[in-house]
Amino acid sequence: MASVNGSALPDVKKSEELKAQANEAFQAHRFARAVELYTKAIELNSENAVLYANRAFAHTKLEEYGSAISDASRAIEINPKYVKGYYRRGAAYLAMGKEKEALKDFRQVAKIVPYDPDAKRKLKECEKAVNKAKFEAAIALEWQSVMTLDYTTIEVEETYQGPRIDDKITLDFVKKMMEEFKNQKTIHKRYAYQILLQTHETLKATPTLVDITVPPNGHFTICGDIHGQFYDLLNIFSLNGLPSEENPYLFNGDFVDRGSFSVECIFTLFAFKCLYPTGLYLSRGNHESKSMNKIYGFDGEVKTKFNETMSEMFTEVFCCLPLANVINGKIFVVHGGLFSSDGVKLSDIRSINRFREPPEEGLMSEILWSDPHPGQGRIPSKRGVGVAFGSDVTTRFLQENNLDLVVRSHEVKDEGYEETHDGKLITVFSAPNYCDQMGNKGAFIRFDAPDLKPKFTTFSAVPHPSVRPMQYANNFFSMLA
């Protein structure tokens, strides 16, 4: 970059070359590479609003909504009439469930281009989303639990050909259910209700932080996000065996949303939880929440495949999921990550009131949303929620709690896993070719006692029926994605 009187001048030509490369990377779904290239282009020409808006879109694809909002705001600052800046920021706000903020941006778009039919359509859809959210907030004040439903009064028609539960859930039933799901069929709502009610009772009696014991010569498997990718879940079981007391698993949150076979995933996991309470463990992820489910597809999928009552039941069950697990007193497992301040003890986590929708800040929010970063200390999260924590934060947390390792999920990794923070933190992600476009592998971790050293298995995506991801997602969000 040239300079005049000590002030840097933009290198427009080189910046545009990098922008073109970034656009190509974006089209190839290499979103992290696109962010890197847009950043280099911005360094050469920091007053180009298009570069910030484009980078905002790439951040959105990476679910880094805080960074997307920051970039879109910068684009608007450079050019207050730049429509795409408002579009990008509005989409990021919507992805975070902040409909009111999104509405302000889409109203601004309509002011700038009042005769644009697409702008009018998106504004109308956003207004509908805000009004729906207001209505749901109002009726929430009259909320009553749906977990009192008596499934035994529901008749199973003679024409029903699927698997049946005679008295209690059996392995034979679960295997037949998975086969039905594999063939794109479903189970009778009576049995679906029975699974949900039994899971609710089991989880409600489970501590917020679960202590798991792996006996000598035993083993334990941890899986990360599966995000509704049922056929990849079946592949995990094919590679590593079905869950059982002798072959225990922990699925570390984000079972649903994004993928369009979330119903199949969650009923399979819940049925195994009912069958083997200490053969399958579950941690809550940031997508086991009402706000995320309404945006990213699970709510729509449940209502399409079952009904609204079933959707309400899932909301209640998700609020009973534990937030953390400790294996043999040494391995700390959470979905997201660590905390915005030092000194958090395991006893603090045990005392969290988890029976609610996740708050926007505090220990529960950070457990579900935080991410590691490669440096030291803490920096703002790219997601706009939680915190990004460095290796020193991880080391202090482990030392203060006499732990050896943090295992977490929450982020796509090219190889399905990543070891960072001097080997003291592992990220595992079990949804290969995430959303049918990221090209990543999936992975799971097996720990063999007594040394509990991690052994990684990676795997590629398997074919699935031609139902696109986000098939059941919020219509407005799908329109912007």
Side-chain angles (χ1 to χ4, degrees), residues 156-168:
V156 180
E157 303 82 4
E158 290 185 7
T159 55
Y160 173 70
Q161 298 297 311
R164 295 172 180 257
I165 303 173
D166 293 327
D167 179 27
K168 61 182 181 179

Side-chain angles (χ1 to χ4, degrees), residues 21 29 54 95 122 169-170 186 221 247 300 347 369 424 434 439-440 453 459:
Q21 294 174 30
H29 300 146
N54 286 6
K122 287 176 177 172
I169 296 166
T170 64
T186 191
T221 300
N247 189 36
S347 58
W369 283 96
K424 295 176 181 175
Y434 180 45
N440 61 291
K453 299 297 182 186
F459 53 93

